[in-house]
Amino acid sequence: MTDDASAAPTATGTTTGGTAIMIATGDGEDPDQGHGAGRGTATTTAGIGVTTGTGGTMGGGSGPDTKLSRELFVGNTPPGTSEALLMQFLSGAMSRVNLCPPDVTPIVTCRKNDKFCFIELATVDLANKALNLNGIPFLGSSLRVARPSKYSGPHVPSQTWQQLTGQPLPPGMAAVPENTGVTMALSGEDKLSRELFIGNTTPEMTAEMLRDFLGRAMEQVGLSTMPGNPIVTVRPSAKFAFIEVRSMQEAANALNLNNIPYLGAQLRVGRPSKYSGPETPHGNWEDILAKFMSGELHLKNNATQANPLVQQAHAVAAAASSLAPSLASVPPLASKASPSPVVELRHMLTQQDLDDDNEYNDILEDTRDECSSFGTLKNIVIPRKGPGATKIFLEYMTAEDAGKAIAGLAGRTFDGRKVTAVYFDTVKFANEDYSD
């Protein structure tokens, strides 16, 4: 199919023993220049027509003015994949699950880059149906099929390939986000709603380890909404990480993993500081375990004896039971200063952390992301020398926000050290006096 008569293919015909064979070939220019690009082969034998290549057409909006509605973005394509192979694979997949008739070639062109490509469908209807290819496994990757950024048409509901076929994602393969009403042009906001901050990580926690642990936890306690690991990507740093979750709903669900223990650390799970969406009500990992122990929550994995989350739940419950009498007699720690908008954090840092510029900047970003979840954070001060060295000072908009930070941070562990959080005098803070 071409958009311009000037790109029309040449044709040759051969007749053998009553069998007519016609082969049409042609090369068009770049589709972005207003011309179609593709090759087509039409074979007719004894009255039976079979269409291969990229020459098939189908009704439902196929003119030049519909091209933007017929184009789709395909991400996560493996390096070295040829355009012809990708077109053949996707066209065959659409035919197998009845997204298009078997005698139609739905994809007419493919423009490929190193890690993504753009495909053009024969009709608008076929492009709408091809959105259901989102998440299809291909040569070890899960393809991301979505509208391109310049699309401005109506949202067409679609499923992921896993939802459409009922087939789970192969082990070790990253899931892709669902297609929502937000096009890729607006996906920055969508992505921000799917991104979460993970604090208290340690250097030995790799991206794959975190993705496997957090994804498996979500699946086993029913926080995922579809088969497969809901964690799409993990970007780890020295003491924190950011994860991208497959859907906004699952990102909201993942907030319930807050305080989950992993490799001796208690992970902090929250929204990043740049998130500006609505507040999401959620619990913590302790609440998930409490629901399990009370029978409100039933894990999806039936092999409970071998399930590490079940074992963890029983261990936590046993420990809590044994500690309950002694904890009841311990009075709460009192802050040494009167309530103020400034919080002092101790035992989070070492002098070595402060001496390394990269480490220092990572700590600043880590602290800002984590502590912004308690309220409006005006300022962070981390003195590198003097009496305030190894301390962190947080200035909030109100004393109430500071109190939330103290309640949320006090008693946590950071690199094996127990954090102390107390109010700090506002006058001393304003005068940059960080002494005790």
Side-chain angles (χ1 to χ4, degrees):
M1 171 189 162
T2 60
D3 292 335
D4 193 312
S6 65
T10 60
T12 60
T14 304
T15 303
T16 306
T19 302
I21 300 176
M22 180 167 287
I23 300 175
T25 62
D27 292 320
E29 301 178 18
D30 186 343
D32 286 339
Q33 302 303 317
H35 298 278
R39 294 181 178 272
T41 316
T43 304
T44 304
T45 304
I48 300 176
V50 179
T51 305
T52 60
T54 60
T57 59
M58 180 180 177
S62 58
D65 56 338
T66 65
K67 181 181 175 183
L68 198 55
S69 297
R70 292 185 287 108
E71 192 172 61
L72 295 179
F73 167 87
V74 181
N76 298 338
T77 55
T81 303
S82 69
E83 296 174 347
L85 176 61
L86 191 61
M87 291 170 64
Q88 184 180 19
F89 172 77
L90 295 176
S91 294
M94 291 184 68
S95 178
R96 284 198 311 275
V97 296
N98 298 319
L99 293 177
C100 71
D103 59 343
V104 167
T105 301
I107 302 174
V108 295
T109 64
C110 177
R111 306 193 315 276
K112 190 177 181 303
N113 203 321
D114 288 338
K115 294 183 179 180
F116 64 89
C117 70
F118 291 93
I119 59 174
E120 183 183 343
L121 282 295
T123 68
V124 174
D125 182 59
L126 286 172
N128 294 340
K129 292 178 178 177
L131 289 169
N132 294 282
L133 296 173
N134 187 36
I136 187 171
F138 176 69
L139 298 180
S141 296
S142 181
L143 298 183
R144 171 73 168 124
V145 181
R147 298 287 189 186
S149 60
K150 53 189 175 182
Y151 176 79
S152 58
H155 170 60
V156 177
S158 63
Q159 298 176 294
T160 64
W161 180 259
Q162 287 70 41
Q163 292 170 326
L164 179 69
T165 63
Q167 301 172 354
L169 200 65
M173 194 174 294
V176 298
E178 295 181 53
N179 287 319
T180 65
V182 183
T183 67
M184 291 187 65
L186 302 177
S187 64
E189 181 179 350
D190 170 63
K191 183 177 180 181
L192 195 55
S193 297
R194 293 185 290 104
E195 192 172 66
L196 296 177
F197 168 84
I198 310 296
N200 263 3
T201 62
T202 58
E204 62 267 21
M205 297 181 189
T206 66
E208 188 57 36
M209 290 169 63
L210 285 168
R211 179 177 177 273
D212 179 69
F213 174 74
L214 295 173
R216 187 158 44 90
M218 289 184 65
E219 290 183 271
Q220 290 176 333
V221 300
L223 297 178
S224 58
T225 61
M226 68 185 81
N229 192 327
I231 311 297
V232 180
T233 60
V234 178
R235 305 194 317 275
S237 185
K239 296 181 180 180
F240 64 93
F242 290 95
I243 63 171
E244 182 183 345
V245 187
R246 164 173 66 189
S247 68
M248 289 188 284
Q249 179 59 57
E250 286 173 314
N253 293 348
L255 292 169
N256 293 283
L257 296 178
N258 187 42
N259 292 340
I260 187 170
Y262 183 50
L263 296 182
Q266 198 171 37
L267 300 184
R268 159 73 176 154
V269 181
R271 299 286 191 184
S273 60
K274 53 190 175 182
Y275 174 77
S276 59
E279 184 177 349
T280 308
H282 64 87
N284 295 319
W285 182 246
E286 297 91 331
D287 303 314
I288 295 291
L289 294 184
K291 288 183 178 181
F292 166 73
M293 297 307 297
S294 67
E296 293 181 59
L297 178 68
H298 299 281
L299 301 189
K300 292 184 176 181
N301 189 341
N302 291 327
T304 54
Q305 295 305 315
N307 190 327
L309 294 177
V310 176
Q311 295 170 356
Q312 185 186 87
H314 285 293
V316 171
S321 176
S322 63
L323 290 174
S326 59
L327 289 176
S329 61
V330 178
L333 293 176
S335 173
K336 69 174 185 178
S338 301
S340 78
V342 183
V343 176
E344 175 189 345
L345 300 179
R346 295 185 179 184
H347 312 310
M348 284 186 65
L349 307 177
T350 65
Q351 191 59 48
Q352 184 178 1
D353 295 328
L354 302 176
D355 292 339
D356 186 282
D357 289 340
N358 291 332
E359 185 75 9
Y360 180 82
N361 291 330
D362 284 344
I363 291 169
L364 269 175
E365 183 179 353
D366 181 8
T367 305
R368 188 180 306 279
D369 280 316
E370 182 163 3
C371 297
S372 293
S373 62
F374 300 113
T376 304
L377 187 59
K378 292 175 57 179
N379 191 19
I380 298 177
V381 176
I382 304 181
R384 303 182 79 165
K385 58 184 179 180
T390 73
K391 300 176 184 178
I392 297 178
F393 296 89
L394 311 172
E395 183 183 14
Y396 285 92
M397 188 66 71
T398 65
E400 182 181 1
D401 289 343
K404 293 178 182 177
I406 290 175
L409 295 170
R412 287 192 185 177
T413 57
F414 194 80
D415 276 3
R417 300 181 296 273
K418 192 170 182 179
V419 176
T420 299
V422 295
Y423 292 111
F424 190 76
D425 184 80
T426 53
V427 175
K428 292 181 65 176
F429 181 77
N431 292 326
E432 298 183 2
D433 177 4
Y434 306 122
S435 61
D436 294 336

